[in-house]
């Protein structure tokens, strides 16, 4: 998700309208999204000595196999023979441990250091966030890093460790990107997604069904362009091509980690073994870059004059944060969330509709109203828990330390690569009851709120805040906000809906088969 933060987010007066309900006027409010942007780093002190673990010390089980062959075999299991989830679960059973050694794709000939220590439970996983013990330099995509030719020759913020001087500058730039036009986020979200719902209804009327993903892609990009940069891309030279260009550009970065459903000899022999040459996407990327450069002058001015970041580098970071992080998150998470809500059935739909409509009666859609919707908030957190939009986390040990699972303690050596598969950590049955189930009310009430520390989608616990000194997604609260807005807009307009779901290389492919308009 976007590396960004909103320290003070104001809403403006706007109207929510539908064909069945009167307009709702929003009272001016202020949204406080917490983030620490201190200019001064924390005092440099030696790391305190670790307390001896009370758990039995165990040698990390597993091995990496013969060089080249071992990583290749693990890649076959991960993508084809077992699939991602079974790849991890079968080894947990084999080693009787949620911490073990394995290889992670892609391996040779893209990555020649695929060896990792996997952390696959909710207790060991947070070691990946501890910047005193681990570093995140060039580890955003894991054991390989895409060519910087895909990002204008720059290592963007996602690939920087907090110890690098440019990290704080670029993270502050992302903070500013969102705060600069904070008044526009809620009204532009309403406008854009109102248009999307109208289009879905028309398509269902004509065809009996409508694809959600393509419609959401277009709406997400339009919303981000309108709210962050004040421009409708359809009225620019970019036109409606933004989502398509982003899809191709992301493919050039992530193809070693994706299964596209192609025949194995083609997919594994080409996409998982060799890098696609960046020059093939350069012309399209330049169109995207030009769109951002032409429409982000105040943000680039701030980067150059206040933060000391060159305009070119700043713009490439804006492209990455907006298109890869934020758009990519909305592209994956919005269909996933509606998938889980859709599967939960009509009772949840009715409960959400009643709660949301009751909360907005007096003051319209604003932050105060959304804070008074405990079920809606819990549903968003539960969707982030059960299917986080970014499932993998990587880090490299800065020094020797001990990591604990629920059952044992394991010595980690300096320089070792650590990997966490988040869906196993956030579905840890020793932390969450009915861990494999979507439980809409899970995070309601005092006991529910205590569980938020185990919701880890943002590269940090949900009950903590991003700072310039850590790698937690600086747009954590923004992502939660727009996810809540999607549910609010949806259930102000509809009583219920039905869907069909299929697999997709990124998230789920959702087809809407029925939309029942609001009746109360």
């Amino acid at each position: 998700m976007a590396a960004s933060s909103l320290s003070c987010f104001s809403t403006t007066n706007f109207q929510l309208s539908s064909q069945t309900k009167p307009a709702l006027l929003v009272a001016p409010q202020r949204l406080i999204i917490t983030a620490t942007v201190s200019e001064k780093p924390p005092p440099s002190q030696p790391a305190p000595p670790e307390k001896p673990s009370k758990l039995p010390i165990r040698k990390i089980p597993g091995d990496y196999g013969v060089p080249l062959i071992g990583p290749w075999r693990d890649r076959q299991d991960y993508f084809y023979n077992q699939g991602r989830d079974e790849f991890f679960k079968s080894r947990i059973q084999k080693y009787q441990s949620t911490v073990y050694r394995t290889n992670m794709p892609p391996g040779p000939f893209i990555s020649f250091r695929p060896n990792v220590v996997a952390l696959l439970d909710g207790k060991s996983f947070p070691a990946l966030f501890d910047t005193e013990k681990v570093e995140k330099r060039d580890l955003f995509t894991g054991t390989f890093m895409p060519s910087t030719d895909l990002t204008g020759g720059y290592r963007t913020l996602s690939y920087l460790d907090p110890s690098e001087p440019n990290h704080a500058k670029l993270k502050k730039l992302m903070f500013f990107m969102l705060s600069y036009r904070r008044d526009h986020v809620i009204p532009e979200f309403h406008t854009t997604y109102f248009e999307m719902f109208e289009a879905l209804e028309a398509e269902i009327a004509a065809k009996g069904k409508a694809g959600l993903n393509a419609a959401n892609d277009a709406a997400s990009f339009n919303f981000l362009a309108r709210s962050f940069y004040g421009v409708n891309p359809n009225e620019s030279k970019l036109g409606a091509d933004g989502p398509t260009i982003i899809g191709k550009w992301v493919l050039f970065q992530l193809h070693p980690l994706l299964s596209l459903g192609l025949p194995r000899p083609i997919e594994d022999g080409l996409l998982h073994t060799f890098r696609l040459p960046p020059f093939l996407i350069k012309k399209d990327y330049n169109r995207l870059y030009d769109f951002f450069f032409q429409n982000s002058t105040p943000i680039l001015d701030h980067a150059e004059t206040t933060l000391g970041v060159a305009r070119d580098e700043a713009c490439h970071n804006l492209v990455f944060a907006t298109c890869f992080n934020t758009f990519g998150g909305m592209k994956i998470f919005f269909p996933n969330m509606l998938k889980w809500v859709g599967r939960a059935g009509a009772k949840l739909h009715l409960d959400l509709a009643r709660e949301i409509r009751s909360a907005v009666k007096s003051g319209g859609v604003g932050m105060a109203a959304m804070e008074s919707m405990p079920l809606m908030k819990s549903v968003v957190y539960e969707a982030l828990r059960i299917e986080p939009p970014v499932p993998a986390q990587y880090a490299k040990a800065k020094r020797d330390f001990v990591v604990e699972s629920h059952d044992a303690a394991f010595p980690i050596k300096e320089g070792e690569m650590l990997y966490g598969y988040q869906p196993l950590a956030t579905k840890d049955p020793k932390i969450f009851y009915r861990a494999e189930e979507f439980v809409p009310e899970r995070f309601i009430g005092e006991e529910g709120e205590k569980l938020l520390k185990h919701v880890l989608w943002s590269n940090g616990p949900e009950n903590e805040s991003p700072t310039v000194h850590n790698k937690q997604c600086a747009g954590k609260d923004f992502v939660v906000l727009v996810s809540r807005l999607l549910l609010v807009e949806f259930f102000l307009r509809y009583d219920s809906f039905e869907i069909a779901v299929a697999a997709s290389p990124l998230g789920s492919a959702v087809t809407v088969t029925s939309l029942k308009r609001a009746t109360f």
Side-chain angles (χ1 to χ4, degrees):
M1 300 288 176
S4 50
S5 173
L6 301 178
S7 57
C8 187
F9 206 157
S10 303
T11 67
T12 56
N13 289 340
F14 68 103
Q15 290 185 330
L16 281 176
S17 61
S18 74
Q19 296 172 4
T20 61
K21 306 302 291 180
L24 296 170
L25 189 63
V26 176
Q29 301 173 53
R30 294 186 72 77
L31 163 62
I32 305 301
I33 295 185
T34 57
T36 302
V37 293
S38 169
E39 295 285 344
K40 297 181 180 180
S44 178
Q45 297 177 349
E50 287 192 62
K51 295 180 181 179
S53 176
K54 296 180 181 179
L55 294 170
I57 300 293
R58 183 181 175 188
K59 180 182 176 183
I60 301 172
D63 62 72
Y64 303 122
V66 177
L68 298 182
I69 296 175
W72 180 82
R73 284 180 174 171
D74 282 344
R75 188 172 79 203
Q76 302 309 301
D77 285 346
Y78 181 91
F79 284 117
Y80 309 109
N81 300 333
Q82 295 178 305
R84 185 171 59 180
D85 283 26
E86 185 58 29
F87 175 86
F88 296 116
K89 291 178 179 179
S90 65
R91 285 156 179 77
I92 289 174
Q93 291 298 317
K94 177 180 179 180
Y95 301 124
Q96 290 297 293
S97 175
T98 52
V99 177
Y100 57 79
R101 298 186 184 281
T102 189
N103 297 293
M104 286 303 298
F109 296 105
I110 294 174
S111 167
F112 286 91
R113 296 192 64 186
N115 310 151
V116 303
V117 176
L119 310 179
L120 303 178
D121 62 82
K123 188 175 181 182
S124 64
F125 192 94
L128 295 158
F129 309 145
D130 190 342
T131 55
E132 293 294 324
K133 297 177 181 177
V134 302
E135 71 169 15
K136 298 274 193 172
R137 186 187 304 257
D138 296 339
L139 299 180
F140 182 61
T141 47
T143 61
F144 81 105
M145 179 180 172
S147 170
T148 56
D149 289 344
L150 295 165
T151 50
Y154 295 102
R155 294 168 60 235
T156 55
L157 175 61
S158 293
Y159 291 95
L160 301 181
D161 185 73
S163 64
E164 298 180 75
N166 231 26
H167 178 272
K169 293 181 181 180
L170 292 174
K171 202 164 187 181
K172 289 175 187 176
L173 176 63
M174 300 308 133
F175 297 165
F176 182 81
M177 176 185 72
L178 284 181
S179 65
Y180 177 69
R181 285 179 51 86
R182 56 186 176 268
D183 296 347
H184 298 269
V185 171
I186 291 178
E188 291 293 2
F189 191 95
H190 165 69
T191 298
T192 307
Y193 278 83
F194 178 89
E195 293 169 358
M196 186 189 84
F197 296 146
E198 292 277 297
L200 287 177
E201 289 178 23
E203 188 173 352
I204 291 172
K207 302 178 181 178
K209 61 182 180 179
L212 175 65
N213 295 67
N216 177 65
D217 287 355
S220 296
F221 185 72
N222 288 344
F223 158 68
L224 294 172
R226 289 171 171 181
S227 58
F228 290 175
Y229 306 104
V231 59
N232 183 343
N234 294 324
E235 299 172 357
S236 73
K237 291 182 180 179
L238 187 62
D241 295 340
T244 302
I245 292 174
I246 295 170
K248 290 190 288 185
W249 175 62
V250 169
L251 176 65
F252 272 68
Q253 297 175 71
L254 295 185
H255 69 84
L257 305 177
L258 300 178
S259 182
L260 303 179
L262 301 173
R264 188 192 295 198
I266 297 174
E267 184 174 87
D268 197 62
L270 176 63
L271 297 183
H272 298 159
T273 306
F274 304 101
R275 296 175 186 261
L276 295 177
F279 75 85
L280 294 176
I281 194 69
K282 185 174 182 179
K283 183 177 179 180
D284 279 336
Y285 178 75
N286 285 343
R287 285 186 65 199
L288 203 59
Y289 174 89
D290 290 344
F291 171 79
F292 281 84
F293 194 86
Q294 292 162 9
N295 294 291
S296 59
T297 298
I299 304 174
L300 298 180
D301 288 345
H302 180 80
E304 188 173 44
T305 61
T306 304
L307 299 175
V309 178
R311 300 178 79 85
D312 184 51
E313 181 176 9
C315 190
H316 286 293
N317 272 273
L318 294 180
V319 174
F320 196 92
T322 307
C323 298
F324 193 110
N325 298 138
T326 314
F327 171 81
M330 295 172 72
K331 173 186 176 69
I332 296 170
F333 183 64
F334 279 11
N336 282 356
M337 181 171 66
L338 290 179
K339 172 189 72 176
W340 288 105
V341 174
R343 286 175 170 175
K347 182 182 182 305
L348 174 62
H349 303 170
L350 184 59
D351 289 343
L352 283 168
R354 284 173 174 163
E355 179 185 79
I356 289 167
R357 294 171 199 176
S358 175
V360 304
K361 273 184 179 179
S362 59
V365 177
M367 295 314 301
M370 285 192 284
E371 284 302 317
S372 66
M373 303 175 189
L375 178 61
M376 181 276 292
K377 294 193 297 180
S378 180
V379 165
V380 171
Y381 290 136
E382 179 68 345
L384 288 166
R385 177 197 74 86
I386 200 166
E387 194 168 10
V390 180
Q393 291 288 347
Y394 287 85
K396 185 179 291 186
K398 287 182 177 179
R399 57 179 174 84
D400 294 356
F401 67 95
V402 173
V403 66
E404 292 185 350
S405 69
H406 294 292
D407 306 311
F410 301 89
I412 303 294
K413 298 296 183 184
E414 179 182 350
E416 287 195 299
M417 182 80 82
L418 307 179
Y419 166 82
Y421 182 55
Q422 189 176 154
L424 290 184
T426 55
K427 289 187 283 189
D428 186 334
K430 293 188 177 181
I431 294 174
F432 295 102
Y433 76 99
R434 295 163 58 191
E436 296 287 338
E437 299 178 37
F438 181 79
V439 180
E441 69 279 4
R442 188 184 299 276
F443 297 99
I444 293 177
E446 184 177 349
E447 291 304 310
E449 290 180 0
K450 289 179 181 178
L451 290 172
L452 289 176
K453 67 181 179 181
H454 302 294
V455 178
L456 310 170
W457 67 272
S458 64
N459 202 7
E462 185 61 33
N463 64 341
E464 294 185 7
S465 297
T467 79
V468 294
H469 311 299
N470 66 24
K471 286 299 290 181
Q472 186 165 26
C473 172
K476 175 174 76 75
D477 293 332
F478 175 79
V479 171
V480 172
L481 168 65
V482 293
S483 301
R484 291 175 178 179
L485 282 172
L486 179 64
L487 291 184
V488 169
E489 294 281 357
F490 193 92
F491 285 104
L492 283 174
R493 188 178 180 98
Y494 304 111
D495 284 347
S496 189
F497 67 109
E498 295 177 354
I499 57 171
V501 180
S504 171
L506 290 172
S508 302
V510 176
T511 300
V512 183
T513 57
S514 171
L515 290 168
K516 183 181 179 183
R517 288 299 298 264
T519 57
F520 65 91

